[in-house]
Amino acid sequence: MASVPSLASTVQQRLAEGLSAALPEAGSADPLLRRSDRADFQANGILALAKKLKGNPRELATKVVDGIPANDVLKEIEVSGPGFLNITVTDEAIVRTLAARAADDRLGVPFAENAGTTVIDYAQPNVAKEMHVGHLRSAVIGAAMVEILEFTGEKVVRRHHIGDWGTQFGMLIQYLIEHPHELDHKSEDEVSGEEAMSNLNRLYKASRALFDSDEEFKTRARARVVDLQAGDEQTRALWQRFVDESKIYFYSVFDKLDMAIDDPDVVGESGYNDMLVETCRILEESGVAVRSNGALCVFFDDVKGPDGNPTPLIVQKSDGGFGYAATDLSAIRDRVQNLKATSLLYVVDARQSLHFKMVFETARRAGWLNDEVTAVQLAFGTVLGKDGKPFKTREGETVRLVDLLDEAVDRATAVVRGKDEDRGLLTEQEIVENGQYVGIGAVKYADLSTSAARDYKFDLDQMVSLNGETSVYLQYAYARIRSIFGKSGELTPVAHPELELAPAERALGLHLDQFGETLAEAAKEYAPHKLAAYLYQLASLYTTFYDQCPVIRPAPPKEIAENRLFLCDLTARTLHQGLALLGIRTPERL
């Protein structure tokens, strides 16, 4: 009887080991195994190896074929073209490997070697300002990367770097001090998220109007910023109220997004205020930053303005004030020195790429970043409307995130209700609940199925469609599998390695075997879209399997039915786990 593969061993890995064993002089050469439409796999590494060994690639390929030891994985291998290897694996190897994975709660996905600590900076709204469509991508992509990295064994520290400091707070606080009757005296427990933001919006508009029209008020407001920075008790108390009410609103929006945000993870700009002077002192004394026209600046040879002159990173302004650079550099110090981070991941709009390039280089020159501690910006593109232009309302205003999410849920609920009209399987509560899962899942998947660096069009009609690459398609695939189990009676999922697999079973099985490899790639490259693409392909392959390989009716022989039910079970578990890592729920019935 053939040995059972280890949980971390895929069919592809076992095949690669056999190829390496056939050519000891290859050392650790990568056979470059890839899935192929000509066979199960194609090995392309022989050409590069032959060049290295100064040999004929086709002769070397033939030598590999003759030297592969007998095993239960390889069914057929042939030399193609100038030295490619087309390889077909046994049905037994596929099923045995999948059986080992199915026996593990982690579906056989190994923990990453040399896991470290990653601080992920994502979901960064601004205090006293509504969240709009521009806040969507940072939240959705960041939350997915948290889940993916944690699943692979990385220790993840979440950081929500909210905008809670600056000139606008002097304006708001001064206005409230002079207009105390406009203070809402409800307690935090009595105020909803929408009410909290409505109050803040009203105060912001009134204070801005006064700030723009009254020079004396503007002077008092700027003086109030100094009081805030100095820690004046009354000023700080009112500032804290703005922060607390904004958090009520933030958390209500994140709740709609089905995202958990914990208060200790919210460390805004103010959280680094006490570090700013020290950060500037270190940079200046080390020579990393220099004074230029009174400001503390860092210069770069490759960063120049339109006039050809160097454009510096300004850490401290000539009037003594601190900008974003000082806060971001202090945050790096804190995350590296206090949180012991080995990786820093910033999920931030691509339009801030130059800023973070300069910040990271400054931190590297200061010694806070190095070969052992790295920082990466996961830069994302813009959300566009159907017309391919930045997503706006008909009036030209930025789309409120709450409105967008509510509309997605309404559209999805209508789709779920319409799908169930003839069947009558779902209760009203299930329709409403599934509408939420489908609507929010649709928004997230549309974002995550696109490479973060690219812009994407926000099209709700397409997002909630049952056809095409949408989360609804994946969710229905999962629900379809669960319905099969509801009809399976006493039939149980059992792997039968002795059976010959149909083409659709083989294709599904080989794709299931790639789950761990895909997750590792998505984690390493900070690329959740690769996991999304894998899951869509899995659902597509399952649809073909469902059409071609009956499980219940017409009833196949028991062993075949058990093996097919086993493939159904592993597919459902993989879809459930994969979508969960993307922050998308899988209803049992749809």
Side-chain angles (χ1 to χ4, degrees), residues 143-309:
M145 285 312 311
V146 167
E147 297 298 329
I148 291 171
L149 289 174
E150 283 189 333
F151 192 75
T152 59
E154 188 80 357
K155 178 184 177 183
V156 175
V157 180
R158 300 158 176 81
R159 278 294 175 266
H160 307 295
H161 192 86
I162 64 173
D164 64 353
W165 207 244
T167 305
Q168 72 269 28
F169 292 101
M171 178 184 75
L172 279 163
I173 294 167
Q174 187 63 32
Y175 181 85
L176 203 53
I177 288 174
E178 297 179 9
H179 301 79
H181 59 281
E182 295 200 26
L183 181 65
D184 191 328
H185 293 286
K186 287 184 180 180
S187 68
E188 289 182 24
D189 294 337
E190 297 175 309
V191 179
S192 69
E194 284 291 293
E195 284 178 321
M197 186 46 61
S198 177
N199 292 335
L200 290 170
N201 267 341
R202 176 176 52 79
L203 290 173
Y204 184 86
K205 289 178 180 178
S207 62
R208 169 55 70 180
L210 191 56
F211 186 87
D212 291 341
S213 63
D214 187 332
E215 287 297 322
E216 291 184 0
F217 175 77
K218 182 180 291 187
T219 300
R220 294 195 299 274
R222 286 174 172 165
R224 186 61 59 180
V225 177
V226 177
D227 293 338
L228 176 62
Q229 293 173 341
D232 174 73
E233 187 174 340
Q234 180 191 24
T235 305
R236 279 297 182 101
L238 288 171
W239 169 81
Q240 189 64 57
R241 179 169 184 124
F242 286 130
V243 172
D244 292 342
E245 290 200 5
S246 294
K247 284 183 178 180
I248 294 172
Y249 165 73
F250 296 157
Y251 295 165
S252 71
V253 178
F254 289 131
D255 187 58
K256 283 181 182 287
L257 264 173
D258 199 15
M259 280 176 50
I261 300 291
D262 295 324
D263 205 62
D265 300 332
V266 180
V267 183
E269 296 168 359
S270 63
Y272 307 101
N273 194 51
D274 293 342
M275 299 178 66
L276 302 182
V277 173
E278 179 74 0
T279 295
C280 290
R281 183 190 64 77
I282 293 171
L283 293 174
E284 188 168 13
E285 290 183 355
S286 64
V288 172
V290 296
R291 292 287 170 181
S292 177
N293 296 323
L296 186 62
C297 303
V298 182
F299 289 91
F300 310 87
D301 292 338
D302 59 343
V303 181
K304 292 181 171 60
D307 57 1
N309 293 322

Side-chain angles (χ1 to χ4, degrees), residues 470-484:
T470 67
S471 66
V472 194
Y473 178 72
L474 275 64
Q475 289 167 319
Y476 266 103
Y478 176 81
R480 174 182 282 174
I481 298 173
R482 300 311 305 160
S483 71
I484 289 176

Side-chain angles (χ1 to χ4, degrees), residues 575-586:
L575 281 171
H576 177 78
Q577 180 64 76
L579 286 171
L581 295 177
L582 297 180
I584 298 172
R585 295 185 185 253
T586 43

Side-chain angles (χ1 to χ4, degrees), residues 483-498:
S483 71
I484 289 176
F485 277 86
K487 303 170 186 174
S488 62
E490 297 181 0
L491 188 68
T492 57
V494 179
H496 286 278
E498 73 279 5

Side-chain angles (χ1 to χ4, degrees), residues 438 445 463-480 535-544 575 579 590:
V438 170
Y445 188 83
M463 289 179 185
V464 299
S465 172
L466 299 174
N467 303 310
E469 190 173 353
T470 67
S471 66
V472 194
Y473 178 72
L474 275 64
Q475 289 167 319
Y476 266 103
Y478 176 81
R480 174 182 282 174
L535 294 173
Y536 173 69
Q537 182 66 16
L538 177 60
S540 299
L541 290 168
Y542 180 78
T543 299
T544 302
L575 281 171
L579 286 171
L590 264 177

Side-chain angles (χ1 to χ4, degrees), residues 563-574:
N563 197 63
R564 288 176 178 173
L565 197 61
F566 160 74
L567 289 173
C568 288
D569 180 58
L570 189 54
T571 300
R573 290 172 61 193
T574 304

Side-chain angles (χ1 to χ4, degrees), residues 15 33-43 74-80 84-89 94 506-507 510:
L15 193 58
L33 269 177
R34 302 289 184 268
R35 290 299 311 278
S36 171
D37 55 2
R38 298 176 180 236
D40 292 333
F41 296 96
Q42 186 176 78
L74 186 63
K75 179 179 181 180
E76 184 179 343
I77 182 169
E78 64 174 6
V79 180
S80 173
F84 301 120
L85 296 178
N86 291 331
I87 304 166
T88 303
V89 298
I94 295 172
R506 286 180 56 83
L510 284 169

